[in-house]
Amino acid sequence: MAAARRSRKTSGGTPSWSMSPTQLLSTSWSSKVQNQAAEAREANLHLGDLSVQANDRANAVSYYAAALKDWPKTAWAPEATLKLADALLATDRKTQGCAALSEFTRRYPDAPAALKTRAVQTRTRAACASSNSVSVHPSEVGTSVATDNASASR
């Protein structure tokens, strides 16, 4: 029984029996928060897709930007970046849309060929400069969306 207790380890490699209750709670809490953040990002991706289906590209931009916050390294992130670019271009934000396409190329060099082809086609259709040096962070897109929406409602 004692051997079984000693062999129990946490994800960090420290035996759980040698951790204080506070350490155990913070380790457990931290992993739960990370899981919830990942689930929230993916939920925002799906909400963006639903907004596009409802022809509400402005809200889609906000949702895609939230999904891409801190540029996650998930399997769906490259496609979400292209969806963000499409939504930005559809809402007459060419500079930001082209910047999102540049971020796609920079951050996801190993993206599937079909997505790379789609990025090139979108860049061509939008007449983006071939080497766009403007960088965009998803949080900046969300901020500009709020600003754009506020000015439109005045």
Side-chain angles (χ1 to χ4, degrees):
M1 182 70 133
R5 240 184 274 142
R6 271 187 244 131
S7 68
R8 211 174 73 194
K9 295 191 183 270
T10 64
S11 61
T14 305
S16 60
W17 53 266
S18 67
M19 296 175 82
S20 72
T22 303
Q23 289 172 318
L24 283 171
L25 286 174
S26 70
T27 301
S28 173
W29 180 81
S30 175
S31 65
K32 284 181 184 177
V33 168
Q34 288 173 350
N35 288 342
Q36 287 174 348
E39 289 172 3
R41 282 190 180 125
E42 194 163 355
N44 278 308
L45 170 68
H46 296 300
L47 288 169
D49 292 344
L50 289 171
S51 294
V52 167
Q53 288 176 1
N55 204 26
D56 185 358
R57 307 264 190 221
N59 274 331
V61 168
S62 297
Y63 288 126
Y64 290 139
L68 290 166
K69 186 177 184 235
D70 298 326
W71 296 107
K73 300 283 185 203
T74 62
W76 51 260
E79 184 173 14
T81 304
L82 293 180
K83 290 177 178 183
L84 172 63
D86 285 336
L88 286 163
L89 293 168
T91 55
D92 297 322
R93 287 179 272 182
K94 179 182 173 180
T95 302
Q96 291 176 319
C98 291
L101 291 168
S102 292
E103 288 296 321
F104 168 83
T105 302
R106 187 172 76 81
R107 293 183 180 275
Y108 308 111
D110 299 326
L115 292 180
K116 289 180 180 180
T117 300
R118 188 168 133 203
V120 169
Q121 291 170 341
T122 303
R123 185 177 284 112
T124 302
R125 186 177 66 246
C128 298
S130 58
S131 65
N132 188 343
S133 61
V134 176
S135 180
V136 66
H137 188 274
S139 63
E140 294 169 358
V141 171
T143 303
S144 64
V145 169
T147 305
D148 292 347
N149 287 343
S151 16
S153 65
R154 288 182 199 161

